[in-house]
Amino acid sequence: MFIKKDLRKIPIIFSDAKEAYEKDPSDKLVELRLARRPAEFKQGSIAPLCQPHYIPSLIHLQKLSLYDCQISTLEGIQFLADSCPILEEMNLGRNPLKSLPSELGSMKALKSLSLDDCEILRMSNNFITKVDGEKLDTWKGMEVLCLDGNLIEQVPAEMQCLIKLKVLMLRKNKIKYLPYGVPGSTHMELTLFHISTNDLEALPSSIAQCPSLKMIYANSNKIVQIPLDLAKMQSLEHCNLGNNAIIQLDDEFLERFGTPNAKDGKCTKDEKVNMQLEQNPVSKVDKSQQDASAMEVC
């Protein structure tokens, strides 16, 4: 992932921002691109940003990238939550984070949070307990949540509170189960759901209740059965269920999408939907059929 960054040192950035604002109040620091700065975050914390004299500039901040800075703890995040009241986007990807503090939920204006390729081991007792669920409730404006490439095993049911979600990325984790409602009827604006390369055994039936969902990527899991109402999803444009353990397709699915092609696993009956089922038991032709086809060619 390429993240363009500001080449100035952090103290210089804030010094320049203060001077510019004093000359012209419309010249505000709205974006900080601090990707790949492990040397400036030597202790693995966000302390270099948590300086009281930075507050006059931080209050205008809307976008913050701390991608690949070797940050291992978010201790002090409450300072940023209080100092950046209009922060909408934050990228903490590729950092050795192992937990998420509940104070992260204090960032009420946050719409996009990226935590891909971190080392998050658990979300429980951080923001999936009932107390922290209240914190999640403050994130009702969240539009993009990316938790790719972690070691997450459980997804909190409180994610149903994120009613403005448009993109939910959970690929390359250790998730075996999704609670009913994640995703579901509260996610009226969700268009992309990505949960490939996990240990998922089933998609929740509630996924069919997402009226705007266009793209589902659930390939490379252990899914055995497709949700019964998947065929009723009128907004669906792309659905990748390849490399799973699906053994049977219900009549409604077959009526809308057709049977998977034995060669590439694609179901092409509905030309408006790219439905992929390659590398599933249901899409493989048994040996007797293959032999029969070969004899016909001969």
Side-chain angles (χ1 to χ4, degrees):
M1 182 178 184
F2 177 75
I3 302 290
K4 187 177 179 180
K5 65 178 180 180
D6 192 323
L7 297 177
R8 296 170 295 167
K9 298 295 184 182
I10 292 174
I12 301 299
I13 292 174
F14 281 99
S15 177
D16 290 348
K18 180 181 178 182
E19 183 178 342
Y21 184 70
E22 288 175 348
K23 290 181 179 178
D24 180 4
S26 67
D27 192 354
K28 304 172 183 176
L29 182 65
V30 297
E31 182 174 7
L32 269 178
R33 294 175 293 187
L34 304 177
R36 299 187 175 94
R37 291 178 180 243
E40 292 193 72
F41 295 91
K42 292 180 180 178
Q43 304 302 317
S45 75
I46 59 174
L49 288 178
C50 301
Q51 306 298 320
H53 56 285
Y54 291 166
I55 293 177
S57 296
L58 288 172
I59 59 174
H60 305 296
L61 198 64
Q62 297 177 28
K63 299 180 181 181
L64 173 62
S65 174
L66 296 172
Y67 183 86
D68 197 12
C69 287
Q70 290 303 299
I71 295 170
S72 58
T73 175
L74 293 179
E75 183 178 352
I77 196 69
Q78 188 64 55
F79 175 88
L80 287 184
D82 295 336
S83 305
C84 308
I86 59 173
L87 186 66
E88 295 184 349
E89 297 182 19
M90 183 161 60
N91 190 338
L92 291 165
R94 202 169 286 253
N95 283 294
L97 292 165
K98 294 186 177 181
S99 64
L100 299 179
S102 60
E103 289 82 2
L104 201 60
S106 298
M107 293 183 161
K108 297 183 180 182
L110 207 59
K111 293 182 178 180
S112 176
L113 175 63
S114 294
L115 286 158
D116 49 309
D117 299 315
C118 294
E119 297 177 5
I120 295 174
L121 297 174
R122 59 186 172 83
M123 292 171 72
S124 57
N125 300 318
N126 281 290
F127 62 37
I128 69 166
T129 64
K130 290 185 178 180
V131 174
D132 292 326
E134 295 177 4
K135 290 289 186 180
L136 269 181
D137 189 56
T138 67
W139 277 359
K140 287 186 176 180
M142 179 74 69
E143 295 180 0
V144 179
L145 182 57
C146 178
L147 292 164
D148 290 346
N150 290 291
L151 298 173
I152 299 170
E153 296 183 359
Q154 295 182 338
V155 173
E158 288 88 346
M159 273 193 182
Q160 295 178 68
C161 297
L162 307 182
I163 59 175
K164 293 293 184 180
L165 267 187
K166 295 181 180 179
V167 176
L168 179 56
M169 306 284 286
L170 297 168
R171 59 185 174 177
K172 295 183 180 178
N173 281 287
K174 304 293 182 181
I175 300 168
K176 296 181 179 180
Y177 167 79
L178 288 172
Y180 183 85
V182 181
S185 59
T186 60
H187 301 125
M188 300 291 287
E189 300 179 25
L190 188 68
T191 60
L192 170 60
F193 179 52
H194 209 321
I195 194 162
S196 67
T197 319
N198 276 277
D199 297 320
L200 196 65
E201 298 179 358
L203 286 169
S205 59
S206 59
I207 195 171
Q209 299 170 17
C210 299
S212 303
L213 192 55
K214 295 181 179 180
M215 292 172 282
I216 300 172
Y217 292 88
N219 48 301
S220 300
N221 278 285
K222 300 176 181 178
I223 298 171
V224 176
Q225 186 175 3
I226 295 174
L228 292 176
D229 290 335
L230 188 75
K232 296 179 180 179
M233 298 181 68
Q234 297 305 310
S235 59
L236 197 61
E237 296 179 0
H238 185 96
C239 183
N240 189 342
L241 295 169
N243 292 285
N244 277 290
I246 300 168
I247 57 176
Q248 187 176 1
L249 302 173
D250 64 81
D251 292 340
E252 288 190 18
F253 182 97
L254 294 171
E255 177 63 28
R256 178 177 176 184
F257 303 113
T259 56
N261 184 287
K263 185 176 181 180
D264 59 16
K266 291 184 177 180
C267 302
T268 58
K269 187 174 181 180
D270 186 338
E271 298 179 353
K272 296 180 180 179
V273 181
N274 182 359
M275 178 63 67
Q276 297 177 308
L277 286 168
E278 70 273 18
Q279 297 302 311
N280 276 283
V282 75
S283 64
K284 296 177 181 178
V285 180
D286 63 40
K287 191 176 185 303
S288 62
Q289 288 177 306
Q290 291 177 343
D291 293 342
S293 297
M295 296 210 32
E296 287 178 9
V297 172
C298 295

